[in-house]
Amino acid sequence: MSILPRLSFKNQAFKLRESAILDAATAVLSQKGYDLMTMDDVAGAVGISKPSLYKHFKSKEELVGEALIRLLDGALDYVAALDPSHGPMQKLSSLLEWALRVRLEGGLPFLPSTSPHVREMLIRNVKYMLRIMKLNRQLEALVKQAQQDGLLSRDLPTDVILYSYYARTCDPAVEYLQKYSKMASDDIVRHMLKVTFEGFH
Amino acid sequence: MSILPRLSFKNQAFKLRESAILDAATAVLSQKGYDLMTMDDVAGAVGISKPSLYKHFKSKEELVGEALIRLLDGALDYVAALDPSHGPMQKLSSLLEWALRVRLEGGLPFLPSTSPHVREMLIRNVKYMLRIMKLNRQLEALVKQAQQDGLLSRDLPTDVILYSYYARTCDPAVEYLQKYSKMASDDIVRHMLKVTFEGFH
DNA sequence: GTCTATAAGGAGATAGAC
DNA sequence: GTCTATCTCCTTATAGAC
């Protein structure tokens, strides 16, 4: 497409490195969380120096924001690719399963942090907020539809179900089952889905 | 009791100040989390200087450990005071309600952090671990009994129920409902209990 | 025991050579 | 664009006067 293939090449290499940086940031972030993740960690994991890192992302906040945006894009893509013939419950269950598997494979949880600093930082991030709001609209619609169909409790406010649904994507029980019970990923996912929708009964 | 009332007085004042420090640490901790809480924050909240703070607690880790130990002692006292005529389900529900109310009133959640640093610090803390293990034994017994009685699902491993129960005590949905839905504390507690035991259906 | 002042070290961000 | 070396600020923790 471009008249300048050399530039295109450079651009491709640049994008590749950027992607590698985001992979590294994602891995470090999922292990240590925002506050304990250092830019040295990320640079070291990619195998570049810190100033090179800053050529790609002008601050720690921007780097983390981009990593989370990529995660949300994955979720939005997943939702868009869901079988339209499925009902709202199947879709909600399917997305939660996807989010849990992403985490179990070393990725990030949605709602990555309850830390006020991180939350405030993300609220200031327009690109991030656009995606969050888009995802939220779609999920809210699914929950409301499921409630109308009588598949989800109509006694519970939609907000309660929606926020609790988000909370399940970052439920610490997942890590505990993985770490202390040595449970296989498939079993963790299965049990978490059951607990989410059916509770303990 | 003491032959030296003056010493006893001093001791009482010392204990009082210690308690005030723990109150302040609890408040800051619940707002900012461990990593972002500074000793200056705590000293400022109590109205003393940082070196005075260090006369009471020799490190940040010890201070936070003691705050969490006090929380666990509260939980253990609560469990010990539960009506013995109640069944395991009532006891589990009652304790979860207590934990949620503590949080809603500005206290700390159990499982205060999934941060590896904090977790490791607490695992090294013998006093803390003794209480955690005691509480865990009692809760595990309640869950197992409820499962035997057919009140909790026997399809779910005990671990899944137990870890998910812990997770509900620090469920971020609570903060979201408080912050964004402006929901009253009583309603939050009621809905969270329902979601925990009955799921979304 | 309480304070003022400060040491020691970590981490985000950058200057400037190549 | 990449690196080495450095700046600057913040935070834990303490020395030493009162």
Side-chain angles (χ1 to χ4, degrees):
Chain A
M1 293 302 196
S2 170
I3 332 179
L4 295 171
R6 238 162 59 87
L7 249 184
S8 185
F9 266 2
K10 267 171 106 173
N11 240 327
Q12 275 187 20
F14 195 84
K15 284 286 177 196
L16 271 178
R17 167 156 292 183
E18 207 160 273
S19 173
I21 293 174
L22 289 177
D23 289 343
T26 297
V28 177
L29 214 47
S30 74
Q31 275 199 332
K32 309 177 68 163
Y34 179 82
D35 296 320
L36 266 55
M37 173 192 113
T38 74
M39 294 301 262
D40 284 297
D41 287 336
V42 178
V46 185
I48 62 176
S49 71
K50 198 160 47 169
S52 301
L53 186 53
Y54 275 92
K55 292 290 179 191
H56 288 82
F57 301 94
K58 72 171 191 296
S59 69
K60 182 180 178 181
E61 294 198 352
E62 183 183 303
L63 170 57
V64 171
E66 291 296 326
L68 294 176
I69 285 168
R70 197 178 58 161
L71 172 73
L72 285 188
D73 281 340
L76 287 166
D77 287 349
Y78 188 86
V79 171
L82 283 172
D83 188 336
S85 72
H86 283 179
M89 290 300 285
Q90 280 172 301
K91 289 179 177 172
L92 288 169
S93 176
S94 198
L95 178 65
L96 178 53
E97 177 170 350
W98 177 84
L100 292 173
R101 289 195 188 280
V102 166
R103 268 184 69 200
L104 284 164
E105 285 158 17
L108 289 172
F110 293 1
L111 282 190
S113 173
T114 54
S115 142
H117 177 198
V118 177
R119 189 158 54 201
E120 186 209 338
M121 163 187 110
L122 293 175
I123 286 174
R124 285 197 313 268
N125 187 325
V126 178
K127 275 178 72 180
Y128 177 85
M129 286 307 289
L130 279 173
R131 284 158 176 82
I132 277 285
M133 290 182 331
K134 181 174 176 185
L135 184 61
N136 192 59
R137 269 195 305 277
Q138 302 190 3
L139 292 182
E140 189 178 8
L142 288 175
V143 170
K144 282 192 166 150
Q145 194 189 331
Q147 283 183 303
Q148 278 167 9
D149 296 352
L151 301 167
L152 287 180
S153 168
R154 272 175 286 215
D155 296 338
L156 290 168
T158 305
D159 278 358
V160 170
I161 297 180
L162 197 53
Y163 292 152
S164 293
Y165 181 87
Y166 289 135
R168 293 308 169 270
T169 68
C170 57
D171 195 308
V174 169
E175 291 156 33
Y176 281 85
L177 289 172
Q178 194 173 31
K179 192 176 174 69
Y180 298 115
S181 299
K182 315 278 185 207
M183 194 177 283
S185 291
D186 285 345
D187 294 328
I188 295 178
V189 171
R190 190 163 44 86
H191 291 314
M192 292 301 296
L193 288 174
K194 181 168 159 57
V195 167
T196 297
F197 290 104
E198 298 173 29
F200 294 159
H201 290 311
Chain B
M1 295 298 200
S2 169
I3 331 179
L4 295 170
R6 237 161 62 86
L7 250 184
S8 185
F9 265 2
K10 266 172 109 175
N11 240 327
Q12 275 186 19
F14 196 83
K15 285 287 177 196
L16 271 179
R17 169 158 290 185
E18 208 160 271
S19 173
I21 293 173
L22 289 177
D23 289 343
T26 297
V28 177
L29 212 48
S30 75
Q31 274 199 333
K32 309 176 69 163
Y34 179 82
D35 295 320
L36 266 55
M37 172 192 115
T38 73
M39 295 300 262
D40 284 296
D41 288 335
V42 178
V46 186
I48 62 175
S49 72
K50 200 160 41 168
S52 301
L53 186 52
Y54 275 92
K55 292 290 179 189
H56 288 81
F57 300 93
K58 72 171 192 297
S59 69
K60 182 179 177 181
E61 294 198 351
E62 183 184 302
L63 169 58
V64 171
E66 291 296 326
L68 294 176
I69 285 168
R70 197 177 58 160
L71 173 74
L72 286 188
D73 281 339
L76 287 166
D77 287 349
Y78 188 87
V79 171
L82 282 172
D83 187 335
S85 72
H86 284 179
M89 291 299 286
Q90 280 172 300
K91 288 179 178 173
L92 287 170
S93 176
S94 199
L95 177 65
L96 179 52
E97 178 170 348
W98 177 84
L100 292 174
R101 289 196 188 279
V102 166
R103 268 184 70 200
L104 284 163
E105 286 159 17
L108 289 173
F110 294 1
L111 282 189
S113 173
T114 53
S115 144
H117 177 200
V118 178
R119 189 159 54 202
E120 186 208 338
M121 163 188 109
L122 293 174
I123 287 175
R124 286 197 314 267
N125 188 326
V126 178
K127 274 177 72 181
Y128 178 85
M129 285 307 289
L130 279 173
R131 283 158 176 83
I132 277 286
M133 289 182 330
K134 181 174 176 186
L135 184 61
N136 192 60
R137 268 196 305 276
Q138 302 189 2
L139 292 182
E140 190 178 8
L142 288 175
V143 170
K144 281 191 166 151
Q145 193 189 331
Q147 282 184 306
Q148 279 167 9
D149 297 351
L151 301 167
L152 288 180
S153 168
R154 274 176 285 215
D155 296 339
L156 291 168
T158 304
D159 279 357
V160 171
I161 298 179
L162 197 52
Y163 293 152
S164 293
Y165 181 87
Y166 289 135
R168 292 310 168 269
T169 67
C170 58
D171 196 308
V174 169
E175 291 155 33
Y176 281 84
L177 289 172
Q178 194 174 29
K179 191 177 174 67
Y180 298 116
S181 298
K182 315 278 186 209
M183 194 177 282
S185 291
D186 285 345
D187 293 328
I188 295 178
V189 170
R190 190 163 44 86
H191 292 315
M192 291 302 296
L193 287 174
K194 181 168 158 58
V195 167
T196 298
F197 290 104
E198 299 173 29
F200 294 160
H201 290 311

